[in-house]
Amino acid sequence: MIRVVESLKEVREFVAASLRRNQKIGFVPTMGAFHAGHLSLMRQARKDSAIVIVSIFVNPLQFAAGEDYDRYPRQLAKDVRMAESEGVDLIFAPSVAEMYPKGYATYIDQTDLPNKLCGQFRPDHFRGVMSVVGKLFNVITPDTAYLGQKDYQQFLIIRRMAVDLNLDVDVRMLPTAREEDGLAMSSRNIYLGPKQRKDATCLYRALQRAEELVGGGTNNAARVMSEMKRVIQRVKGARIEYIAVVNSETLEPAKEIKGKTLISLAVRIGKARLIDNILV
Ligand code: AMP
């Protein structure tokens, strides 16, 4: 039976009992509104670890004023059923007051990576992500944490944070789960109307075009980016936030595609801000 708890005290007790039994803990941090991407992370955790803990917390710290914090989908009862069918042991679904009680004043920050890509458009976003994930790692003490490639920059930043803060957790990345037409699954896809939902495949199509070019021997980053731009611009109502070809470890712009490279983009369609990426 899955357990759902709201307090840090209950999580600590559950974790302590698991550690006494020498059980390895796999952890999947989320904001809920589960889709097959979230479930794939839980499934891998279930394979690897005796104990699987999932957190569901729409973290106000990682939303800027005017972003979608208020309308972000919340569906705890449904999420619990979905997690239960993946064999999750514990869901931690705290309130904002539980995570950030009155007087809360401590944050985690990082140089370099958070200022790149999405960070240029969402300045305090990754500080909010690190602060909450750091707190969760501290309490849950996972052996392994599972994150999705869809948020590749977030994965890099959290892995860096874990190393730098000597947190003994293996931060693993799993592939992006996609809809049949290639759209990366996201809790935010519900913001898309039917026409916008069709338009939203342009991110994947642009990435496929990039992959095709690179596969065909093109290694000029500017060429790849301009071809991607053309794919997006054919869609009226799609507004490019950025298209980037960067070193996959430093996120520094690459002029030439050689070695491991991240091709990444953010596009606004209607009320939704969509991101996607591939590694080549
Ligand atoms: P979120 O609930 O959107 O904050 O995401 C929680 C975790 O699920 C993060 O590690 C995300 O990268 C991951 N995730 C989100 N969408 C996908 C997807 N389509 N495929 C795989 N993982 C995903």
Side-chain angles (χ1 to χ4, degrees):
M1 260 293 272
I2 193 164
R3 277 190 61 191
V4 183
V5 302
E6 290 168 14
S7 73
L8 288 157
K9 179 169 176 287
E10 288 165 292
V11 177
R12 280 191 200 286
E13 285 165 5
F14 184 91
V15 166
S18 306
L19 295 181
R20 277 197 299 275
R21 291 187 221 105
N22 256 321
Q23 291 172 307
K24 291 232 178 296
I25 298 174
F27 173 48
V28 182
T30 81
M31 300 204 297
F34 292 157
H35 51 63
H38 296 113
L39 301 185
S40 71
L41 304 179
M42 296 175 207
R43 207 164 300 153
Q44 188 62 47
R46 182 68 287 164
K47 279 188 194 148
D48 297 344
S49 309
I51 297 293
V52 178
I53 301 180
V54 173
S55 63
I56 298 179
F57 181 58
V58 184
N59 174 31
L61 274 191
Q62 69 191 67
F63 291 80
E67 287 187 350
D68 56 344
Y69 177 71
D70 290 324
R71 48 193 180 91
Y72 198 85
R74 290 159 172 92
Q75 48 168 55
L76 183 61
K78 186 175 173 201
D79 286 347
V80 169
R81 287 197 297 277
M82 292 169 85
E84 182 161 33
S85 68
E86 296 299 336
V88 169
D89 298 294
L90 184 81
I91 290 200
F92 176 44
S95 66
V96 172
E98 182 71 8
M99 294 303 281
Y100 308 119
K102 196 166 180 297
Y104 188 87
T106 303
Y107 300 88
I108 302 177
D109 219 334
Q110 192 177 108
T111 58
D112 303 323
L113 294 174
N115 305 323
K116 313 246 189 294
L117 305 179
C118 290
Q120 294 178 300
F121 301 89
R122 306 183 76 191
D124 292 325
H125 170 68
F126 290 112
R127 175 181 187 257
V129 171
M130 284 185 281
S131 298
V132 77
V133 174
K135 281 162 68 70
L136 291 166
F137 281 4
N138 194 35
V139 173
I140 293 169
T141 64
D143 294 275
T144 312
Y146 299 84
L147 306 182
Q149 183 181 330
K150 198 196 59 126
D151 304 282
Y152 181 82
Q153 184 176 12
Q154 169 173 281
F155 158 74
L156 274 191
I157 290 169
I158 289 178
R159 190 180 61 176
R160 179 84 255 159
M161 173 190 80
V163 170
D164 290 354
L165 296 181
N166 312 102
L167 304 176
D168 194 12
V169 48
D170 179 20
V171 180
R172 271 188 66 182
M173 183 181 83
L174 296 182
T176 301
R178 298 181 178 282
E179 304 288 355
E180 253 172 42
D181 60 7
L183 176 65
M185 289 187 180
S186 164
S187 307
R188 290 188 162 100
N189 291 347
I190 59 153
Y191 301 151
L192 299 166
K195 166 73 167 61
Q196 296 169 336
R197 169 63 188 78
K198 285 205 185 90
D199 289 346
T201 59
C202 67
L203 284 85
Y204 183 64
R205 286 186 281 113
L207 291 171
Q208 277 188 311
R209 180 74 189 117
E211 198 157 45
E212 198 177 281
L213 286 166
V214 175
T218 306
N219 63 5
N220 183 291
R223 167 90 202 287
V224 170
M225 289 188 289
S226 79
E227 288 280 320
M228 290 174 69
K229 192 169 165 189
R230 277 185 25 183
V231 174
I232 306 292
Q233 283 177 334
R234 277 203 294 269
V235 176
K236 278 200 226 47
R239 281 161 299 144
I240 298 170
E241 199 165 82
Y242 69 81
I243 295 177
V245 175
V246 297
N247 177 291
S248 67
E249 293 296 316
T250 62
L251 304 183
E252 292 288 349
K255 280 208 172 75
E256 271 180 48
I257 298 169
K258 54 175 193 312
K260 267 195 116 188
T261 303
L262 177 78
I263 303 180
S264 166
L265 74 171
V267 174
R268 289 181 178 278
I269 296 181
K271 284 195 167 121
R273 178 181 181 276
L274 305 174
I275 57 171
D276 203 349
N277 69 78
I278 53 170
L279 288 164
V280 294

Short mmCIF file of all heavy atoms in Angstrom, two decimals, residues 118 150 183-192 196-197 199-204 238-242 264-277:
data_model
loop_
_atom_site.label_atom_id
_atom_site.label_comp_id
_atom_site.label_asym_id
_atom_site.label_seq_id
_atom_site.Cartn_x
_atom_site.Cartn_y
_atom_site.Cartn_z
N CYS A 118 17.54 28.49 -20.27
CA CYS A 118 16.29 28.94 -19.65
C CYS A 118 16.54 30.00 -18.58
O CYS A 118 15.68 30.85 -18.32
CB CYS A 118 15.56 27.77 -19.01
SG CYS A 118 14.85 26.62 -20.22
N LYS A 150 14.06 15.95 -20.44
CA LYS A 150 13.31 17.11 -20.94
C LYS A 150 13.80 18.40 -20.29
O LYS A 150 13.88 19.44 -20.90
CB LYS A 150 11.82 16.95 -20.70
CG LYS A 150 11.03 17.91 -21.58
CD LYS A 150 9.61 18.08 -21.14
CE LYS A 150 9.55 18.59 -19.77
NZ LYS A 150 8.77 19.80 -19.56
N LEU A 183 5.72 15.28 -29.51
CA LEU A 183 5.69 16.33 -28.48
C LEU A 183 6.16 15.76 -27.13
O LEU A 183 5.66 14.73 -26.68
CB LEU A 183 4.26 16.88 -28.33
CG LEU A 183 4.07 17.92 -27.23
CD1 LEU A 183 4.84 19.21 -27.51
CD2 LEU A 183 2.59 18.23 -27.01
N ALA A 184 7.11 16.44 -26.52
CA ALA A 184 7.59 16.01 -25.20
C ALA A 184 6.44 16.12 -24.20
O ALA A 184 5.76 17.15 -24.14
CB ALA A 184 8.76 16.88 -24.77
N MET A 185 6.22 15.07 -23.44
CA MET A 185 5.15 15.14 -22.44
C MET A 185 5.49 16.18 -21.39
O MET A 185 6.64 16.32 -20.99
CB MET A 185 4.97 13.78 -21.79
CG MET A 185 4.36 12.79 -22.74
SD MET A 185 3.97 11.27 -21.89
CE MET A 185 3.30 10.36 -23.27
N SER A 186 4.48 16.91 -20.98
CA SER A 186 4.67 17.95 -19.98
C SER A 186 3.33 18.22 -19.31
O SER A 186 2.29 18.21 -19.97
CB SER A 186 5.16 19.24 -20.65
OG SER A 186 5.00 20.34 -19.78
N SER A 187 3.37 18.49 -18.02
CA SER A 187 2.15 18.86 -17.30
C SER A 187 1.56 20.14 -17.89
O SER A 187 0.37 20.41 -17.74
CB SER A 187 2.45 19.06 -15.82
OG SER A 187 3.10 17.92 -15.29
N ARG A 188 2.41 20.93 -18.53
CA ARG A 188 1.95 22.21 -19.08
C ARG A 188 1.26 22.05 -20.44
O ARG A 188 0.70 23.02 -20.94
CB ARG A 188 3.12 23.18 -19.22
CG ARG A 188 3.64 23.66 -17.86
CD ARG A 188 4.66 24.77 -18.02
NE ARG A 188 4.85 25.50 -16.79
CZ ARG A 188 5.87 25.30 -15.95
NH1 ARG A 188 6.79 24.40 -16.20
NH2 ARG A 188 5.97 26.02 -14.84
N ASN A 189 1.31 20.87 -21.04
CA ASN A 189 0.66 20.71 -22.35
C ASN A 189 -0.84 20.93 -22.27
O ASN A 189 -1.47 21.21 -23.29
CB ASN A 189 0.98 19.34 -22.95
CG ASN A 189 2.44 19.21 -23.36
OD1 ASN A 189 3.16 20.21 -23.41
ND2 ASN A 189 2.87 17.99 -23.63
N ILE A 190 -1.42 20.81 -21.07
CA ILE A 190 -2.87 21.05 -20.95
C ILE A 190 -3.23 22.51 -21.21
O ILE A 190 -4.40 22.83 -21.40
CB ILE A 190 -3.43 20.66 -19.56
CG1 ILE A 190 -2.72 21.44 -18.47
CG2 ILE A 190 -3.40 19.17 -19.32
CD1 ILE A 190 -3.58 21.63 -17.25
N TYR A 191 -2.25 23.40 -21.21
CA TYR A 191 -2.55 24.80 -21.53
C TYR A 191 -2.83 24.99 -23.02
O TYR A 191 -3.26 26.07 -23.43
CB TYR A 191 -1.38 25.72 -21.16
CG TYR A 191 -0.96 25.71 -19.71
CD1 TYR A 191 0.36 25.99 -19.36
CD2 TYR A 191 -1.86 25.45 -18.68
CE1 TYR A 191 0.77 26.01 -18.04
CE2 TYR A 191 -1.45 25.47 -17.36
CZ TYR A 191 -0.14 25.74 -17.04
OH TYR A 191 0.26 25.76 -15.74
N LEU A 192 -2.53 23.98 -23.83
CA LEU A 192 -2.64 24.11 -25.29
C LEU A 192 -4.05 23.80 -25.76
O LEU A 192 -4.61 22.75 -25.42
CB LEU A 192 -1.65 23.15 -25.97
CG LEU A 192 -0.17 23.37 -25.67
CD1 LEU A 192 0.65 22.15 -26.14
CD2 LEU A 192 0.34 24.63 -26.36
N GLN A 196 -3.22 24.73 -31.08
CA GLN A 196 -1.89 24.93 -30.48
C GLN A 196 -1.19 23.60 -30.22
O GLN A 196 0.02 23.49 -30.38
CB GLN A 196 -2.03 25.71 -29.17
CG GLN A 196 -2.58 27.12 -29.37
CD GLN A 196 -2.96 27.77 -28.06
OE1 GLN A 196 -3.24 27.08 -27.07
NE2 GLN A 196 -2.98 29.10 -28.05
N ARG A 197 -2.00 22.62 -29.84
CA ARG A 197 -1.44 21.29 -29.58
C ARG A 197 -0.77 20.74 -30.84
O ARG A 197 0.30 20.12 -30.77
CB ARG A 197 -2.55 20.35 -29.07
CG ARG A 197 -2.20 18.88 -28.99
CD ARG A 197 -1.08 18.61 -27.99
NE ARG A 197 -0.63 17.23 -28.06
CZ ARG A 197 0.17 16.74 -28.99
NH1 ARG A 197 0.64 17.53 -29.95
NH2 ARG A 197 0.52 15.48 -28.98
N ASP A 199 0.34 22.67 -33.36
CA ASP A 199 1.50 23.55 -33.60
C ASP A 199 2.69 23.15 -32.73
O ASP A 199 3.85 23.32 -33.14
CB ASP A 199 1.13 25.01 -33.28
CG ASP A 199 0.17 25.60 -34.32
OD1 ASP A 199 0.01 24.97 -35.39
OD2 ASP A 199 -0.40 26.67 -34.05
N ALA A 200 2.39 22.64 -31.54
CA ALA A 200 3.46 22.36 -30.57
C ALA A 200 4.44 21.28 -31.03
O ALA A 200 5.54 21.16 -30.48
CB ALA A 200 2.84 21.96 -29.22
N THR A 201 4.05 20.52 -32.04
CA THR A 201 4.99 19.51 -32.56
C THR A 201 6.19 20.17 -33.26
O THR A 201 7.15 19.49 -33.58
CB THR A 201 4.32 18.56 -33.57
OG1 THR A 201 3.81 19.34 -34.66
CG2 THR A 201 3.18 17.78 -32.92
N CYS A 202 6.13 21.49 -33.47
CA CYS A 202 7.24 22.15 -34.18
C CYS A 202 8.55 22.04 -33.42
O CYS A 202 9.62 22.01 -34.04
CB CYS A 202 6.91 23.61 -34.51
SG CYS A 202 6.75 24.69 -33.09
N LEU A 203 8.49 21.94 -32.08
CA LEU A 203 9.75 21.81 -31.33
C LEU A 203 10.44 20.49 -31.70
O LEU A 203 11.63 20.47 -32.02
CB LEU A 203 9.51 21.85 -29.81
CG LEU A 203 9.23 23.22 -29.20
CD1 LEU A 203 7.76 23.57 -29.29
CD2 LEU A 203 9.69 23.28 -27.75
N TYR A 204 9.66 19.44 -31.68
CA TYR A 204 10.23 18.13 -32.00
C TYR A 204 10.68 18.08 -33.46
O TYR A 204 11.73 17.54 -33.78
CB TYR A 204 9.20 17.03 -31.71
CG TYR A 204 9.70 15.64 -31.96
CD1 TYR A 204 10.76 15.12 -31.21
CD2 TYR A 204 9.13 14.82 -32.94
CE1 TYR A 204 11.24 13.84 -31.42
CE2 TYR A 204 9.61 13.54 -33.16
CZ TYR A 204 10.66 13.05 -32.40
OH TYR A 204 11.11 11.78 -32.62
N ALA A 238 3.80 30.64 -32.93
CA ALA A 238 4.91 30.09 -32.15
C ALA A 238 5.97 31.18 -32.02
O ALA A 238 6.42 31.73 -33.03
CB ALA A 238 5.49 28.85 -32.82
N ARG A 239 6.31 31.53 -30.80
CA ARG A 239 7.31 32.57 -30.58
C ARG A 239 8.56 31.94 -29.96
O ARG A 239 8.49 31.36 -28.87
CB ARG A 239 6.75 33.66 -29.65
CG ARG A 239 5.82 34.65 -30.36
CD ARG A 239 4.94 35.38 -29.36
NE ARG A 239 4.10 34.45 -28.60
CZ ARG A 239 3.77 34.58 -27.33
NH1 ARG A 239 4.20 35.60 -26.63
NH2 ARG A 239 2.98 33.69 -26.73
N ILE A 240 9.67 32.06 -30.66
CA ILE A 240 10.91 31.45 -30.19
C ILE A 240 11.47 32.25 -29.01
O ILE A 240 11.61 33.47 -29.11
CB ILE A 240 11.96 31.41 -31.32
CG1 ILE A 240 11.45 30.55 -32.47
CG2 ILE A 240 13.30 30.90 -30.79
CD1 ILE A 240 12.32 30.64 -33.73
N GLU A 241 11.75 31.56 -27.91
CA GLU A 241 12.47 32.23 -26.81
C GLU A 241 13.97 32.05 -27.06
O GLU A 241 14.72 33.00 -27.06
CB GLU A 241 12.04 31.62 -25.48
CG GLU A 241 12.36 32.49 -24.30
CD GLU A 241 11.61 32.04 -23.06
OE1 GLU A 241 12.09 31.09 -22.41
OE2 GLU A 241 10.55 32.61 -22.75
N TYR A 242 14.40 30.83 -27.26
CA TYR A 242 15.78 30.62 -27.70
C TYR A 242 15.91 29.30 -28.45
O TYR A 242 15.10 28.39 -28.26
CB TYR A 242 16.78 30.65 -26.52
CG TYR A 242 16.67 29.48 -25.56
CD1 TYR A 242 17.26 28.26 -25.84
CD2 TYR A 242 15.98 29.61 -24.36
CE1 TYR A 242 17.17 27.19 -24.96
CE2 TYR A 242 15.87 28.55 -23.48
CZ TYR A 242 16.47 27.34 -23.78
OH TYR A 242 16.37 26.29 -22.91
N SER A 264 18.93 22.58 -28.01
CA SER A 264 17.86 22.85 -27.07
C SER A 264 17.06 24.07 -27.52
O SER A 264 17.60 24.96 -28.18
CB SER A 264 18.54 23.09 -25.71
OG SER A 264 17.67 23.66 -24.81
N LEU A 265 15.78 24.09 -27.19
CA LEU A 265 15.00 25.27 -27.55
C LEU A 265 13.83 25.47 -26.57
O LEU A 265 13.39 24.54 -25.90
CB LEU A 265 14.49 25.20 -29.00
CG LEU A 265 13.34 24.26 -29.39
CD1 LEU A 265 12.90 24.55 -30.82
CD2 LEU A 265 13.71 22.81 -29.26
N ALA A 266 13.39 26.73 -26.52
CA ALA A 266 12.20 27.11 -25.75
C ALA A 266 11.33 27.95 -26.67
O ALA A 266 11.83 28.86 -27.34
CB ALA A 266 12.58 27.91 -24.51
N VAL A 267 10.05 27.60 -26.71
CA VAL A 267 9.12 28.25 -27.63
C VAL A 267 7.83 28.52 -26.88
O VAL A 267 7.36 27.67 -26.12
CB VAL A 267 8.84 27.34 -28.86
CG1 VAL A 267 7.76 27.94 -29.75
CG2 VAL A 267 10.12 27.09 -29.66
N ARG A 268 7.27 29.69 -27.09
CA ARG A 268 5.96 29.99 -26.49
C ARG A 268 4.87 29.79 -27.52
O ARG A 268 4.97 30.29 -28.64
CB ARG A 268 5.92 31.43 -26.00
CG ARG A 268 6.76 31.65 -24.78
CD ARG A 268 6.66 33.10 -24.31
NE ARG A 268 7.45 33.25 -23.11
CZ ARG A 268 7.01 32.93 -21.89
NH1 ARG A 268 5.77 32.48 -21.71
NH2 ARG A 268 7.80 33.07 -20.84
N ILE A 269 3.86 29.06 -27.12
CA ILE A 269 2.68 28.88 -27.97
C ILE A 269 1.46 29.18 -27.09
O ILE A 269 1.22 28.46 -26.12
CB ILE A 269 2.61 27.45 -28.55
CG1 ILE A 269 3.81 27.22 -29.49
CG2 ILE A 269 1.28 27.23 -29.29
CD1 ILE A 269 3.86 25.86 -30.15
N GLY A 270 0.76 30.25 -27.41
CA GLY A 270 -0.35 30.66 -26.55
C GLY A 270 0.17 30.91 -25.14
O GLY A 270 1.15 31.63 -24.95
N LYS A 271 -0.49 30.29 -24.14
CA LYS A 271 -0.10 30.50 -22.75
C LYS A 271 1.01 29.57 -22.30
O LYS A 271 1.48 29.65 -21.17
CB LYS A 271 -1.32 30.27 -21.84
CG LYS A 271 -2.31 31.42 -21.86
CD LYS A 271 -3.27 31.26 -20.69
CE LYS A 271 -4.06 32.54 -20.49
NZ LYS A 271 -5.48 32.36 -20.58
N ALA A 272 1.39 28.65 -23.18
CA ALA A 272 2.36 27.63 -22.76
C ALA A 272 3.78 28.00 -23.19
O ALA A 272 4.00 28.46 -24.30
CB ALA A 272 1.99 26.28 -23.35
N ARG A 273 4.71 27.79 -22.28
CA ARG A 273 6.12 27.90 -22.61
C ARG A 273 6.64 26.47 -22.68
O ARG A 273 6.63 25.75 -21.69
CB ARG A 273 6.85 28.68 -21.52
CG ARG A 273 8.34 28.81 -21.75
CD ARG A 273 9.01 29.57 -20.60
NE ARG A 273 10.44 29.71 -20.84
CZ ARG A 273 11.34 28.77 -20.53
NH1 ARG A 273 10.98 27.65 -19.97
NH2 ARG A 273 12.63 28.98 -20.79
N LEU A 274 7.06 26.07 -23.87
CA LEU A 274 7.46 24.68 -24.09
C LEU A 274 8.97 24.60 -24.30
O LEU A 274 9.56 25.48 -24.93
CB LEU A 274 6.75 24.11 -25.33
CG LEU A 274 5.21 24.21 -25.31
CD1 LEU A 274 4.64 23.75 -26.65
CD2 LEU A 274 4.64 23.38 -24.17
N ILE A 275 9.57 23.54 -23.75
CA ILE A 275 11.01 23.32 -23.98
C ILE A 275 11.22 21.89 -24.46
O ILE A 275 10.39 21.00 -24.20
CB ILE A 275 11.85 23.56 -22.70
CG1 ILE A 275 11.37 22.67 -21.53
CG2 ILE A 275 11.84 25.02 -22.31
CD1 ILE A 275 12.31 22.72 -20.33
N ASP A 276 12.32 21.70 -25.17
CA ASP A 276 12.68 20.36 -25.61
C ASP A 276 14.17 20.38 -25.98
O ASP A 276 14.76 21.46 -26.15
CB ASP A 276 11.82 19.93 -26.80
CG ASP A 276 11.74 18.41 -26.96
OD1 ASP A 276 12.51 17.69 -26.29
OD2 ASP A 276 10.90 17.94 -27.76
N ASN A 277 14.76 19.22 -26.08
CA ASN A 277 16.18 19.15 -26.43
C ASN A 277 16.54 17.75 -26.89
O ASN A 277 15.82 16.79 -26.61
CB ASN A 277 17.03 19.52 -25.21
CG ASN A 277 16.95 18.47 -24.11
OD1 ASN A 277 17.58 17.42 -24.18
ND2 ASN A 277 16.12 18.73 -23.09
#
